[in-house]
Amino acid sequence: MRLAVVARYAPHQTMDRRTFPVLTDADEPLITRLAAGLGENTGRVLAYLLCRSREADLDRTATLTAIHIGTGLSKNAARTSLDRLEKRGFVERTTVQTSSPGRPPNAWHAVDSLATTARDVADEHADRLLRQAARFDDDGTGTGTGTGTGTPIGSDQEHRTETPQRVRVALNWHPNGFHGALFGPVAAAADESGTGTLNCTTGSESEPEPEPEPEPGLEPETESELGLGFHACAGSSAAVQTVVDDEETDLAVAGAATVLCERAAGRDVVPVAVLLPRSPVVLHTTRAVFGEPFERLDQLRGRRLGMPPASETGLLGQLLLSQAGIRDTVDVVELAGEERTALESGDVDAITGVAADASRLERNGATVDVISIAEQYPVYGPALVASREGLTDPETRARIRAFLAAVTATWGWVQHCPSSVATAIADRTMRVGGADEAQSRDRIDRTLRLATDQFARSDGVRKHGWGWHTPDDWQRLRAALVQGGVLESRRA
């Protein structure tokens, strides 16, 4: 924090100069960490009060005016955040004596220490995510209780004090940059043990710049007893099937459209968080193949679009064609991988993929045009799902809760030190024997930065924190998949 002088005109046009402590760039690691569990504005207000508490020469109690100036938020935004924090027990309200006549103004202070508060924020956010999962009912409408089978999903209080032993996560592919949030706890634990590093570089081809290190004392606490196991599956459907069929697997990563299609096929999984609130799926081509700039979907009329139809990219590609009303006019070429080869050979005019695929083509010298799913239709990216049976089991639920809390606590780490997380992902990939050029550290680093820069923010995340999702959003996607015939074609 630093002190800032604010000049205001008091009654009778006399100048009133007052000094207020304000947040600075050095406080961003703490702000980001708290925002992961509270939302951006609320996390910023709590960070401000915690920073005041640890400054010996500052009063830990702050008025609304001081909070408004110190955080840079409007008074209305600061007041709304204080109401939320007070309701959730992170701050307390009192009054302060001033030299001005009249009723003493309200003021607020943080209830606990920085370390205790940060841990409680992550724990409470894990509970909130599980409550959101409980709102997701069997048909995905979000209008039920999340207990379509008649079995309650469970209580937030169960096994809260027990130490989970090991969490096993089925990934939808080899570990990569889109899985960055899941590897935050791994990177943080590695750094604490001395096997990781915070001295990361940009990973770009230009001259590297050092990343800002988290301020001493603000590193996320990780539970060393929380073992993490990652299993790479051949796509989202395979990951969903694994979490349903394998009782030792607690969670799976799967694309949002695939989650709904698998549920329609009878696999009872429930989303507990979204890794990215905006889908990274894109339609793309090169200028050399397409022959002109690819700027509008209707340019695909009469052309060949290559896609693996049963994959997440294929499902969303079909959805986008249906939404644009051109599905019957496009020649969909079914591909079983190797989309890039089909494009470069001219066998197709455009392909589905993810944003990182298009970026790699561009780095290789091609002029690439992209139409992003996220810019055309609001669709979640990869989601973290559990089986309903797992969520009703107290021990499995306790492991899931602990993992959600650990990911929340380290999401700020992922954003501020992506290179350390990329290293953790690359190390894990090498350990399971999947290391090749496609899984290199630099490539993972670039994908992770792309994911956090372009696909990790949404109104829900800004307001509520990492992983946030709503039944209404899932219902809108399900309705679109039904309307476009995608859900029925997949079920068939």
Side-chain angles (χ1 to χ4, degrees), residues 109-127:
H109 63 86
V111 171
D112 287 312
S113 67
L114 187 154
T116 299
T117 300
R119 182 173 59 249
D120 289 347
V121 164
D123 286 345
E124 192 212 44
H125 189 62
D127 289 336

Side-chain angles (χ1 to χ4, degrees), residues 250-267:
D250 302 301
L251 294 162
V253 176
T258 302
V259 170
L260 295 178
C261 288
E262 290 297 322
R263 284 173 56 84
R267 293 189 174 89

Side-chain angles (χ1 to χ4, degrees), residues 23-316:
L23 293 170
T24 68
D25 290 345
D27 303 310
E28 283 300 321
L30 175 60
I31 296 169
T32 306
R33 180 179 180 184
L34 295 175
L38 295 169
E40 291 181 2
N41 287 353
T42 308
R44 193 170 189 85
V45 169
L46 184 55
Y48 177 77
L49 293 175
L50 287 168
C51 286
R52 288 185 67 113
S53 295
R54 67 180 184 178
E55 296 288 342
D57 56 344
L58 290 178
D59 185 349
R60 69 173 186 149
T61 301
T63 63
L64 179 61
T65 297
I67 295 169
H68 148 62
I69 294 172
T71 61
L73 299 175
S74 69
K75 281 194 173 183
N76 284 340
R79 185 181 292 108
T80 299
S81 296
L82 287 166
D83 288 344
R84 291 174 179 167
L85 290 169
E86 191 174 355
K87 184 180 298 184
R88 291 156 71 172
F90 291 117
V91 304
E92 288 182 351
R93 176 168 34 179
T94 183
T95 58
V96 293
Q97 296 297 324
T98 67
S99 58
S100 302
R103 179 183 300 177
N106 288 326
W108 292 261
H109 63 86
V111 171
D112 287 312
S113 67
L114 187 154
T116 299
T117 300
R119 182 173 59 249
D120 289 347
V121 164
D123 286 345
E124 192 212 44
H125 189 62
D127 289 336
R128 293 169 67 221
L129 288 173
L130 288 174
R131 286 196 292 272
Q132 285 298 97
R135 296 178 58 202
F136 190 95
D137 73 0
D138 270 359
D139 63 3
T141 63
T143 58
T145 62
T147 59
T149 60
T151 305
I153 279 185
S155 165
D156 295 333
Q157 303 298 325
E158 291 172 343
H159 292 258
R160 178 168 291 194
T161 60
E162 295 185 8
T163 302
Q165 295 180 345
R166 184 174 180 82
V167 178
R168 182 174 170 84
V169 183
L171 302 177
N172 56 343
W173 198 244
H174 295 295
N176 60 70
F178 291 120
H179 301 138
L182 306 180
F183 284 83
V186 178
D191 186 79
E192 287 180 355
S193 65
T195 59
T197 178
L198 285 177
N199 297 317
C200 315
T201 58
T202 62
S204 65
E205 296 176 1
S206 59
E207 184 176 351
E209 298 178 2
E211 291 176 350
E213 295 189 10
E215 187 174 342
L218 299 187
E219 290 83 356
E221 298 176 2
T222 55
E223 297 288 344
S224 58
E225 297 87 352
L226 181 62
L228 300 178
F230 296 99
H231 172 65
C233 299
S236 292
S237 292
V240 169
Q241 184 171 347
T242 298
V243 79
V244 171
D245 296 342
D246 181 10
E247 62 181 16
E248 294 185 359
T249 298
D250 302 301
L251 294 162
V253 176
T258 302
V259 170
L260 295 178
C261 288
E262 290 297 322
R263 284 173 56 84
R267 293 189 174 89
D268 198 5
V269 291
V270 179
V272 297
V274 291
L275 301 189
L276 298 172
R278 289 163 50 85
S279 174
V281 172
V282 298
L283 275 57
H284 62 289
T285 186
T286 63
R287 196 73 56 84
V289 171
F290 206 70
E292 62 178 340
F294 177 38
E295 299 171 339
R296 306 180 317 277
L297 287 171
D298 61 12
Q299 291 176 266
L300 291 172
R301 294 180 186 273
R303 298 199 188 233
R304 300 160 299 170
L305 176 64
M307 66 173 70
S311 71
E312 180 72 6
T313 59
L315 293 172
L316 291 182

Side-chain angles (χ1 to χ4, degrees), residues 5-37:
V5 177
V6 178
R8 297 186 302 175
Y9 282 100
H12 310 298
Q13 299 299 305
T14 58
M15 183 71 74
D16 177 24
R17 293 182 179 273
R18 300 175 61 188
T19 301
F20 293 92
V22 298
L23 293 170
T24 68
D25 290 345
D27 303 310
E28 283 300 321
L30 175 60
I31 296 169
T32 306
R33 180 179 180 184
L34 295 175

Side-chain angles (χ1 to χ4, degrees), residues 277-432:
R278 289 163 50 85
S279 174
V281 172
V282 298
L283 275 57
H284 62 289
T285 186
T286 63
R287 196 73 56 84
V289 171
F290 206 70
E292 62 178 340
F294 177 38
E295 299 171 339
R296 306 180 317 277
L297 287 171
D298 61 12
Q299 291 176 266
L300 291 172
R301 294 180 186 273
R303 298 199 188 233
R304 300 160 299 170
L305 176 64
M307 66 173 70
S311 71
E312 180 72 6
T313 59
L315 293 172
L316 291 182
Q318 296 171 64
L319 173 63
L320 203 55
L321 296 180
S322 297
Q323 291 287 311
I326 61 172
R327 188 174 181 182
D328 294 336
T329 68
V330 177
D331 181 12
V332 175
V333 179
E334 296 188 6
L335 301 174
E338 301 302 326
E339 293 93 332
R340 175 175 170 176
T341 300
L343 178 65
E344 292 178 330
S345 66
D347 291 339
V348 295
D349 301 301
I351 55 176
T352 61
V354 293
D357 299 330
S359 296
R360 281 192 288 274
L361 278 173
E362 199 165 39
R363 281 196 307 275
N364 290 338
T367 300
V368 180
D369 293 315
V370 173
I371 291 182
S372 171
I373 295 285
E375 297 299 329
Q376 303 292 320
Y377 190 82
V379 180
Y380 289 141
L384 197 60
V385 302
S387 69
R388 189 178 300 277
E389 182 179 357
L391 284 174
T392 60
D393 174 66
E395 292 185 359
T396 302
R397 182 182 174 85
R399 289 195 298 272
I400 292 173
R401 179 187 180 276
F403 183 62
L404 292 174
V407 172
T408 300
T410 55
W411 176 235
W413 186 288
V414 176
Q415 296 175 82
H416 283 282
C417 286
S419 289
S420 67
V421 179
T423 297
I425 297 173
D427 289 347
R428 187 59 59 100
T429 303
M430 293 174 62
R431 194 177 308 167
V432 298

